[in-house]
């Protein structure tokens, strides 16, 4: 990139795809492409089978009790909007409270703002400390009998903090609230079992875990999903339609209106099998080594602020947000790009957290297991040159 070897450190935004995923998607479109759940001819039956095989693979992957608890969507944002609009607008009442960390991605924050505004409910925030952790005291104090929904990311897309979602879910359930987990930043890097975590809903996107863009998943407990109204309406989500009313299909079709992204589902299934072949133990070990190597190097660079600090590493994924003194994050990202280093700069769809951190934007380097120490060395060397390049001194 720009005459340099590409150092891709924007994995929290999207990951690169391995050949098995590309081959699986190509094979589907070359040999099995047809509209699923509609045709009685052989090719359509094959497409339907590939789609439902992918659903079964996802259900086993996340520990769902039944395949029908897996709803395919376009991405995590659509999954979370589905929960907010279908469950939230139906079951949240005036005076209820919705709990969420201030670090939430807009996808798991703005939909709840709209629910709260429409229903007269209140949003109550949990605030991380300087190391990115949520305190037990804040959790105990704010999750009360008024709480109806606790919505949070398993891993912060800005701070990289792994939140204690199982503990929070136990507290939420003790007061009768449902738990909505955004696992977009965790499931590419660690095992996620919805039953062990206590999730009532869980969302993630395929493209952050090596699957194609445009495929996402919503998990929901069957009992809850059955009591929710449809989110989108149209073909295949109905049972019977009359001139004045309609009845709806059982799960999961009730929430899958229109032609579905079978190629994306096939790619997601291939990505899951690829990650399983690598193994999460190896993935986590590699990423932790890279994270430690990067944080050790960044701790030695003057005029650099790492949000969440460089010491809290036990409950942290490979996401590092930082600022360089007197240099706008966009300029940092542009200078690094000239050396072939791809990082993200901006508010990362987490503006309330930016306000809480008292910054307008940050730089973000995010790792995946295919990165190397050589990548980190190039990143660190480029970072050291930023202020000098702008005439500000080292």
């Amino acid at each position: 990139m720009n005459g340099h070897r590409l150092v891709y450190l924007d994995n929290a935004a999207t990951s690169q795809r391995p050949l098995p995923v590309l081959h699986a998607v190509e094979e589907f479109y070359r040999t099995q492409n047809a509209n699923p759940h509609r045709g009685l001819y052989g090719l359509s039956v094959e497409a339907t089978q590939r789609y439902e095989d992918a659903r079964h693979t996802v259900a086993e992957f996340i520990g769902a009790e039944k395949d029908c608890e897996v709803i395919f969507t376009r991405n995590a944002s659509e999954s979370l909007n589905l929960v907010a609009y279908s469950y939230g607008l139906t079951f949240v009442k005036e005076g209820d409270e919705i709990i969420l960390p201030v670090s939430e991605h807009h996808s798991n924050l703005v939909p709840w703002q709209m629910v709260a505004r429409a229903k007269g409910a209140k949003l109550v925030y949990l605030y991380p400390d300087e190391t990115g952790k949520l305190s037990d005291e804040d959790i105990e104090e704010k999750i009360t009998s008024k709480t109806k929904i606790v919505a949070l990311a398993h891993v912060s897309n800005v701070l990289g903090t792994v939140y204690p979602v199982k503990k929070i879910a136990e507290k939420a359930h003790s007061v009768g609230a449902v738990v909505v987990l955004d696992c977009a930043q965790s499931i590419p890097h660690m095992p996620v079992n919805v039953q062990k975590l206590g999730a009532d809903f869980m969302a993630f996107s395929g493209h952050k875990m090596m699957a194609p863009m445009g495929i996402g998943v919503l998990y929901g407990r069957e009992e809850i999903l059955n009591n929710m109204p449809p989110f989108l309406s149209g073909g295949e989500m109905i049972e019977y339609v009359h001139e004045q009313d309609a009845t709806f299909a059982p799960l999961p079709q009730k929430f899958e209106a229109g032609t579905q992204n079978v190629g994306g589902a096939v790619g997601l299934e291939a990505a899951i099998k690829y990650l399983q072949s690598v193994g999460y133990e190896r993935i986590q070990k590699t990423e932790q080594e890279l994270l430690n190597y990067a944080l050790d190097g960044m701790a030695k660079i003057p005029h650099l602020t790492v949000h969440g600090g460089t010491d809290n590493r036990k409950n942290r994924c490979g996401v590092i947000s930082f600022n360089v003194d007197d240099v706008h994050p966009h300029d940092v990202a542009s200078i690094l790009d000239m050396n072939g280093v791809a990082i993200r700069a901006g508010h990362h769809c987490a503006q309330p957290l930016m306000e809480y951190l008292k910054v307008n934007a940050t730089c973000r380097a995010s790792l995946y297991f295919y990165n190397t120490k050589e990548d980190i060395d190039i990143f660190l060397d480029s970072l050291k040159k930023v202020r000098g390049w702008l005439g500000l001194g080292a």
Side-chain angles (χ1 to χ4, degrees):
M1 189 64 66
N2 294 324
H4 297 272
R5 169 182 179 275
L6 173 64
V7 175
Y8 186 77
L9 299 177
D10 194 21
N11 295 287
T14 197
S15 57
Q16 303 299 323
R17 282 82 178 132
L19 287 175
V21 171
L22 301 178
H23 290 161
V25 174
E26 181 188 15
E27 181 193 20
F28 169 76
Y29 282 113
R30 283 170 59 90
T31 65
Q32 296 171 313
N33 180 50
N35 208 315
H37 289 297
R38 282 173 167 80
L40 296 178
Y41 54 91
L43 200 61
S44 177
V45 172
E46 283 189 41
T48 301
Q49 189 62 50
R50 290 300 306 271
Y51 189 59
E52 294 306 323
D53 286 348
R55 193 191 310 278
H56 181 68
T57 298
V58 172
E60 287 193 330
F61 180 59
I62 63 173
E65 192 171 334
K66 298 180 179 179
D67 290 1
C68 68
E69 295 178 320
V70 171
I71 312 297
F72 282 121
T73 61
R74 289 183 301 164
N75 44 50
S77 296
E78 183 174 288
S79 299
L80 294 164
N81 272 269
L82 192 164
V83 178
Y85 281 83
S86 180
Y87 183 87
L89 290 178
T90 304
F91 294 104
V92 172
K93 307 299 182 188
E94 184 176 358
D96 288 345
E97 293 183 350
I98 301 169
I99 307 289
L100 59 165
V102 75
S103 54
E104 285 307 295
H105 189 285
H106 294 164
S107 295
N108 198 29
L109 191 155
V110 176
W112 299 115
Q113 286 182 338
M114 299 182 77
V115 169
R117 189 177 302 118
K119 306 300 291 190
K122 179 182 179 184
L123 299 185
V124 177
Y125 288 95
L126 304 172
Y127 295 96
D129 64 16
E130 65 278 4
T131 68
K133 296 179 182 175
L134 300 176
S135 74
D136 290 344
E137 292 77 15
D138 211 21
I139 294 167
E140 283 295 322
E141 179 184 337
K142 290 177 177 173
I143 299 177
T144 70
S145 59
K146 292 184 178 179
T147 305
K148 292 297 176 286
I149 293 171
V150 178
L152 76 162
H154 193 179
V155 171
S156 165
N157 73 309
V158 177
L159 301 173
T161 310
V162 183
Y163 290 138
V165 294
K166 184 177 181 181
K167 181 191 294 185
I168 292 172
E170 288 172 352
K171 175 63 179 176
H173 290 154
S174 74
V175 299
V178 301
V179 176
V180 182
L181 292 185
D182 176 358
C183 291
Q185 297 294 342
S186 62
I187 203 165
H189 309 281
M190 63 182 69
V192 170
N193 183 299
V194 291
Q195 296 189 65
K196 290 181 179 177
L197 292 177
D200 297 296
F201 297 100
M202 189 274 281
F204 67 93
S205 294
H207 69 93
K208 297 181 193 293
M209 52 172 290
M210 298 185 154
M213 296 181 181
I215 186 71
V217 167
L218 170 66
Y219 158 82
R221 284 201 292 118
E222 182 183 24
E223 177 188 357
I224 301 177
L225 289 173
N226 275 329
N227 290 325
M228 291 162 51
F231 175 47
L232 300 173
S233 54
E236 287 305 308
M237 52 73 69
I238 53 86
E239 182 181 41
Y240 298 106
V241 178
H242 309 286
E243 286 192 359
Q244 300 297 327
D245 59 13
T247 57
F248 304 112
L251 298 174
Q253 280 73 32
K254 182 171 75 171
F255 293 107
E256 293 184 353
T259 297
Q260 295 302 300
N261 181 5
V262 184
V266 168
L268 176 59
E269 180 182 38
I272 289 170
K273 291 180 177 178
Y274 181 80
L275 290 174
Q276 290 172 327
S277 72
V278 176
Y280 273 120
E281 185 176 352
R282 177 181 164 192
I283 291 171
Q284 289 183 292
K285 182 175 183 293
T286 302
E287 291 179 3
Q288 191 63 49
E289 289 175 354
L290 293 172
L291 175 67
N292 290 337
Y293 192 67
L295 289 175
D296 287 344
M298 296 177 77
K300 299 172 184 173
I301 299 177
H303 304 291
L304 195 69
T305 299
V306 176
H307 299 289
T310 58
D311 296 328
N312 175 28
R313 305 180 184 188
K314 184 178 178 181
N315 294 308
R316 183 174 189 162
C317 269
V319 176
I320 308 170
S321 288
F322 61 94
N323 286 89
V324 178
D325 290 352
D326 306 317
V327 185
H328 193 282
H330 288 179
D331 292 331
V332 176
S334 295
I335 293 169
L336 265 59
D337 180 54
M338 290 191 295
N339 292 323
V341 180
I343 66 165
R344 178 62 59 92
H347 54 60
H348 315 297
C349 299
Q351 287 184 313
L353 178 61
M354 296 294 114
E355 292 174 356
Y356 178 66
L357 295 175
K358 296 182 172 54
V359 295
N360 291 323
T362 74
C363 307
R364 184 185 70 184
S366 51
L367 314 171
Y368 211 6
F369 65 93
Y370 46 58
N371 289 125
T372 64
K373 286 188 176 180
E374 185 182 2
D375 289 342
I376 305 302
D377 285 335
I378 296 171
F379 163 66
L380 294 172
D381 287 343
S382 301
L383 202 52
K384 291 173 185 173
K385 298 172 183 172
V386 167
R387 283 174 53 86
W389 199 91
L390 293 172
L392 295 171

